[in-house]
Amino acid sequence: MRPPVVRRCTGSPPAGCAPEAAAPGRGAPGEPGAAGPPVAGRCTGRPGPDGGAPGGAQRRAGAAGDPPTAHDPDARGPATRDPAPAPVPAAAPVPSAAAAADARGLLPEQGAPAPVLPDRSAATAWLAAEWAGLIATAASAADHGDPRHAGRLSAILFRYLDTCGHYKEAEVLHTHGARTPDPDDRAWALTNLGLTYWRLGRCPDTLDALGRALEQYRVVGDRIGECRSLGCIGEVHQFLGHRAETGEHFTAALATARAVADAHGSSAAGPARTGRRAVLYEPLGRYEKVYEQPEQIIALGLELLACIRRTGDRVGEGRLLGSLGSVHRQSGGHQEALAHLRQALALARETGNYTGETDVLIELGQTAQAMAEESAPTRALRYHRQAAALAADLGDRYQQARAQDGIAHCHAVLGDLNAARTHWHRALGLFTDLGTPESEAVTRRLEALGTA
């Protein structure tokens, strides 16, 4: 993904603010409703589409009254520093879109200096006020025959829109972006469109968009993008129960990962490029899966892990360790799951990958829930509370909903049905606002408690 540009009608954050700093995932959740702008200070910690570190804002380790203890191996460590901003290239504005935006008062006067954004909070407040106008401007340009800016903005705003749950607006932007003549931007816009469809539970549309992205990555010779698309497509087929297609795409993803590792593992530019774009696909990890052949999945994952470690991609390494932990958990290997997940949690915190940290905390909570130990529900509750607190700081409503669902499960097991009901209602409200299919399962759980 190219770095952002401070230009009229480009949809980029102001100077000195990388897209991940102004924007935040997979998923998104605690500010106002999905159609409104996020609250300043929220939606700040998600990594970009490359999975890179979002920066070092302080995050809460757990909910009030439930802080991690000094002996807690999963206690939150010190925050990491923000990465240095990338160099800024030039880009041309679109006059027609600029005129339309100026008429609505969305843009400063010609020649006006870019706003000064000294820190993440200021950048977040700026984006909270401007994101809708940025999308409207890019859409106007696309409607007038120039979708280039929508293509650029698709990559820049993907994580912000995904994190804040603006899925419908994201669909509009990425659809326009997929029409850009720039082949690299088009590939990323199609990827973002596919992941947005996944959020909305539209699996056929997800496969279509990711398949078109895969074709585009192959046209431009982007092997890393190709590998990521193959893995994402494999994940969707796995969820749908398509065993042959799953094996085909995962095997192709592994072969591509090997080639990338061989080509870049010994070069200075290789690890940096791989770290930005990721050798491995981003785990979509949204639905529970039933692994018919977990040993094969684990063996493939371990080989991919070796490839990733050769490239120096610490974010990708942590993400894959989390995936391996998930497979072990769902296959009944709880101790193996804990070992992988604790490594993944340490890497997420080391790299400042707050989205990954939230995912792993929820996965740790689910692993503890599945263990037949007297203390397991209490440990699971602690993990889910930490995830809920971090998701609230990130403004990630989708992860908040998942964490609230986990908290409710724990309270139900512990016999506190009123608390379980309260947290399931919170989860239901978030899932319903986001328009995601998990709301149906939560409704069934509430009905089982005797209330709707």
Side-chain angles (χ1 to χ4, degrees):
M1 183 182 79
R2 298 182 189 136
V5 182
V6 184
R7 294 281 181 186
R8 296 162 63 87
C9 306
T10 62
S12 305
C17 178
E20 292 82 5
R26 212 156 216 325
E31 22 64 42
V39 176
R42 300 299 179 95
C43 301
T44 60
R46 302 289 298 251
D50 53 321
Q58 295 291 335
R59 304 295 178 197
R60 289 179 291 168
D66 186 36
T69 59
H71 63 272
D72 182 358
D74 306 314
R76 182 87 176 107
T80 57
R81 292 182 297 115
D82 283 326
V88 178
V94 178
S96 60
D102 279 333
R104 294 193 298 272
L106 296 174
L107 297 174
E109 293 297 324
Q110 181 70 31
V116 176
L117 303 177
D119 54 31
R120 179 177 295 276
S121 295
T124 303
W126 179 87
L127 190 52
E130 300 293 341
W131 70 268
L134 295 171
I135 293 177
T137 301
S140 176
D143 289 339
H144 285 80
D146 193 339
R148 292 176 298 160
H149 298 295
R152 298 291 301 280
L153 197 59
S154 169
I156 293 167
L157 285 188
F158 166 71
R159 283 296 179 189
Y160 183 83
L161 298 172
D162 185 59
T163 296
C164 296
H166 303 308
Y167 302 143
K168 292 299 183 183
E169 293 87 345
E171 180 183 356
V172 170
L173 175 63
H174 304 323
T175 299
H176 282 305
R179 295 164 42 210
T180 180
D182 184 295
D184 293 296
D185 287 347
R186 185 162 61 250
W188 276 97
L190 285 165
T191 300
N192 297 339
L193 181 61
L195 296 178
T196 300
Y197 284 144
W198 174 259
R199 277 288 185 228
L200 295 169
R202 293 161 57 179
C203 290
D205 291 333
T206 301
L207 287 174
D208 176 71
L210 291 176
R212 290 158 60 199
L214 175 61
E215 293 174 2
Q216 193 62 45
Y217 285 127
R218 285 171 169 166
V219 167
V220 301
D222 186 341
R223 300 304 304 280
I224 296 173
E226 177 184 350
C227 182
R228 182 171 183 260
S229 295
L230 285 165
C232 285
I233 293 170
E235 278 277 338
V236 179
H237 280 302
Q238 182 171 277
F239 167 69
L240 294 172
H242 302 160
R243 291 183 59 186
E245 292 86 348
T246 300
E248 173 188 345
H249 286 87
F250 280 169
T251 300
L254 175 57
T256 308
R258 287 174 181 154
V260 171
D262 290 341
H264 296 299
S266 60
S267 75
R273 173 173 162 75
T274 301
R276 287 199 307 271
R277 301 295 288 275
V279 167
L280 181 66
Y281 62 94
E282 178 180 7
L284 299 178
R286 166 177 177 173
Y287 300 103
E288 290 294 300
K289 307 176 185 70
V290 177
Y291 295 98
E292 297 182 10
Q293 298 174 306
E295 297 82 6
Q296 293 183 12
I297 297 291
I298 291 167
L300 182 148
L302 290 173
E303 193 165 353
L304 281 169
L305 182 62
C307 292
I308 288 178
R309 284 173 170 164
R310 287 169 59 190
T311 68
D313 179 3
R314 301 286 280 168
V315 173
E317 180 183 350
R319 194 160 54 219
L320 180 52
L321 283 165
S323 293
L324 286 168
S326 179
V327 175
H328 277 297
R329 172 182 66 81
Q330 295 177 57
S331 304
H334 300 141
Q335 294 302 326
E336 294 88 347
L338 288 175
H340 284 96
L341 291 170
R342 283 174 174 153
Q343 292 181 66
L345 185 63
L347 280 170
R349 289 171 173 171
E350 174 189 324
T351 58
N353 183 0
Y354 298 116
T355 303
E357 181 178 350
T358 309
D359 285 334
V360 174
L361 285 169
I362 292 173
E363 189 65 42
L364 280 164
Q366 292 174 336
T367 302
Q369 286 174 231
M371 299 178 73
E373 298 177 6
E374 186 176 352
S375 63
T378 301
R379 293 205 317 273
L381 183 60
R382 186 191 71 214
Y383 288 128
H384 286 305
R385 281 175 170 166
Q386 290 182 43
L390 181 55
D393 278 349
L394 298 178
D396 189 331
R397 291 187 297 153
Y398 179 72
Q399 295 288 41
Q400 273 189 284
R402 292 184 65 208
Q404 291 294 331
D405 186 26
I407 291 171
H409 273 291
C410 294
H411 281 303
V413 171
L414 292 168
D416 191 344
L417 299 186
N418 286 332
R421 188 175 294 112
T422 296
H423 287 281
W424 266 322
H425 273 299
R426 291 176 184 173
L428 179 61
L430 288 163
F431 282 136
T432 300
D433 285 347
L434 293 168
T436 57
E438 289 89 343
S439 58
E440 297 176 6
V442 176
T443 298
R444 289 194 296 270
R445 290 172 191 136
L446 282 168
E447 290 173 345
L449 288 179
T451 182

